[in-house]
Amino acid sequence: MDDDGSVLEGADVLVTGRRIAAVGPALAVPPGTVEIDARGGIVMPGMIDTHRHLWQTAMRGYGADWTLSQYFDWYYVQHGARFRPEDVYAGNLLGAVEALDEGVTTTVDWSHGLRTPDHAEAAVDALEEVPGRFVLAYGNIFDAPWTWSRTAGLHDLVSRRLRRSDLLGFQMAFDVTGDPQFPERAAFEVARDLDAAVTTHAGVRGATDDAAVRLMHEHGFMEERTVYVHAATLGEESYRLIAETGGSVSVASEAESSGGQGYPPTWRLRAHGIPVSLSTDSSVWGSADMFSAVRATLAADRAREHLEAHARDETVTDVGLRAQQAVWWATRGGARALGLDDVTGSLEPGKKADVVLLKNDASPVMAPVLHPWGHVALQAQRGDVRTVLVDGRVVKHDHRLLGDHVARARAAAEATVEHLRREVGEEAWSAGRVPGSGTGGFDSPYTYSDHRGAAAAAPPR
Ligand SMILES: [Zn+2]
């Protein structure tokens, strides 16, 4: 994942302390070095997920058949506010160890359920306990961003617990409704005061549209470090503005394809030269698996390219999106999006040692390895992640995570499920899983705002 996309056969990776000291064939082994045999496997940088709602992980799989409307109904309108601090903790703990287990060494916790300071402390507690690299993207869908961003608690949390090292970063997570008064200005100003990037669901059918991007641009808040999540239903002008201002898009192809945020946009982002990172969104409906994110992105991009060509009565003989590019997005693309390109995202001397070994001698899928990019993108899966290092520290060895996080996270998630079932009521809890029992589309999912945008009524583009 260096700039040349080098693939080295039979090479070594030497880690000293927290950093990669050398990469190359037949490296000298300093005395006392622990050796991990990677022969027959693939050593790659840890993957980077730029948008994952960890707090929802205790409800894993519950919304397998949900659309975006049903997701909004459950979390934004009906039940999301029932999460206690310990439930945010449970989801974060389970989701954070899941990320490590699957070779994701850096995860943006898009944490939009932080409705009290205690919820935020609980979210950070879990992220601190798990030995991965995280970015807390602080948000609260139950209150307006122009209100929660100005509470003393947020500033206190940032100075006391976040950004103390590159293992726990900070972003501001909120959406722009398109209200012409642009009340979100206050939250953007707080982000600027705190020197923090903004990550925002932009271009999501039924929620945010071109008006949001236009307002951000008019008021000077489109920055290079801004991350636009999904960006799946925007017009040409919005993509042009994102490209011009240097921001990046976090594409969650699995969620977009299934939930209806819009068609996974990489085929358009590529045309505009917009930087891309990948994300898994939420395990409540999707797999939260970065291998799946890579596959879903390749599938959606190639399907679109073929369909567009067929509509012109042409045949694609050479696909535009290569496996190498998709793997790059899952690693280096994430590092660039988060401003961590000098920290992680590639195996290069001087970078922090966030290293993943894919090797599974018991699997018929892990041999032969003929096309390393293709093997990562379309063959390997999380069960093949044998060893994971974060910041030079082995956190998974021989297919098992070290420590007792998994058992504790599973117990905490069970308690959360019990709590939610009790609070929601058995009838609604059962009905929540069944498509068709929701309330349909929304004018706007943002209950803190009176503004009703054109997003819900806009025709698909
Ligand atoms: Zn999201």
Side-chain angles (χ1 to χ4, degrees), residues 51 53 201 229-230 281:
H51 153 246
H53 304 293
H201 293 114
V229 176
H230 300 307
D281 204 330

Side-chain angles (χ1 to χ4, degrees), residues 4-365:
D4 300 328
S6 308
V7 175
L8 308 175
E9 290 192 28
D12 299 322
V13 177
L14 177 65
V15 173
T16 304
R18 294 168 185 263
R19 294 182 190 276
I20 295 167
V23 180
L27 296 179
V29 183
T33 301
V34 173
E35 288 189 76
I36 297 170
D37 185 0
R39 276 176 295 186
I42 297 172
V43 183
M44 64 180 283
M47 293 186 281
I48 296 171
D49 184 334
T50 53
H51 153 246
R52 188 181 296 207
H53 304 293
L54 288 180
W55 65 287
Q56 297 169 348
T57 308
M59 287 184 64
R60 180 193 302 290
Y62 180 90
D65 298 318
W66 277 359
T67 59
L68 187 60
S69 296
Q70 286 153 337
Y71 172 89
F72 283 149
D73 184 40
W74 211 98
Y75 283 106
Y76 286 52
V77 181
Q78 303 277 359
H79 305 303
R82 299 184 194 275
F83 279 69
R84 304 161 300 177
E86 58 261 51
D87 302 318
V88 169
Y89 172 85
N92 270 30
L93 194 64
L94 189 64
V97 287
E98 174 183 14
L100 275 195
D101 187 57
E102 72 188 63
V104 174
T105 52
T106 303
T107 305
V108 173
D109 176 21
W110 222 102
S111 196
H112 54 358
L114 304 180
R115 58 191 181 83
T116 73
D118 286 346
H119 287 75
E121 300 286 339
V124 178
D125 286 345
L127 300 182
E128 273 185 353
E129 273 179 50
V130 178
R133 203 175 291 287
F134 298 100
V135 175
L136 179 75
Y138 190 111
N140 176 9
I141 46 176
F142 309 108
D143 196 2
W146 49 94
T147 306
W148 62 252
S149 64
R150 287 189 286 189
T151 54
L154 171 64
H155 296 250
D156 171 60
L157 183 82
V158 173
S159 62
R160 196 162 37 80
R161 301 194 67 182
L162 306 176
R163 298 198 293 206
R164 301 174 70 83
S165 77
D166 55 26
L167 286 168
L168 186 50
F170 168 65
Q171 290 182 328
M172 297 262 293
F174 59 89
D175 297 348
V176 179
T177 61
D179 181 340
Q181 300 301 313
F182 194 53
E184 294 86 359
R185 166 194 279 283
F188 280 105
E189 283 172 349
V190 170
R192 200 163 274 175
D193 285 348
L194 290 170
D195 193 20
V198 170
T199 175
T200 183
H201 293 114
V204 175
R205 183 170 170 83
T208 59
D209 60 13
D210 292 311
V213 175
R214 195 170 55 244
L215 284 162
M216 285 175 68
H217 187 256
E218 277 170 15
H219 294 271
F221 291 110
M222 291 181 78
E223 300 182 350
E224 212 174 297
R225 60 185 171 181
T226 307
V227 177
Y228 306 85
V229 176
H230 300 307
T233 50
L234 295 175
E236 288 302 310
E237 175 66 4
S238 294
Y239 289 122
R240 199 187 62 72
L241 292 174
I242 294 172
E244 184 184 286
T245 52
S248 66
V249 171
S250 174
V251 177
S253 301
E254 220 185 303
E256 288 142 18
S257 302
S258 193
Q261 288 90 331
Y263 197 89
T266 54
W267 64 290
R268 297 182 76 186
L269 303 174
R270 289 194 290 114
H272 284 274
I274 294 172
V276 173
S277 65
L278 300 187
S279 63
T280 59
D281 204 330
S282 173
S283 60
V284 71
W285 50 9
S287 68
D289 169 17
M290 279 297 274
F291 292 101
S292 295
V294 170
R295 286 177 188 33
T297 300
L298 276 168
D301 192 290
R302 291 174 176 180
R304 189 74 192 219
E305 188 179 12
H306 289 300
L307 278 173
E308 298 280 323
H310 297 176
R312 300 188 302 268
D313 200 22
E314 291 170 6
T315 301
V316 175
T317 54
D318 199 17
V319 286
L321 179 58
R322 302 301 174 105
Q324 177 173 352
Q325 181 68 60
V327 176
W328 198 94
W329 286 341
T331 51
R332 199 86 190 270
R336 292 214 171 158
L338 301 178
L340 292 173
D341 200 35
D342 54 351
V343 174
T344 187
S346 62
L347 298 182
E348 293 181 273
K351 285 204 182 183
K352 294 293 180 68
D354 295 350
V355 187
V356 167
L357 168 61
L358 306 179
K359 176 174 154 81
N360 187 350
D361 298 335
S363 166
V365 177

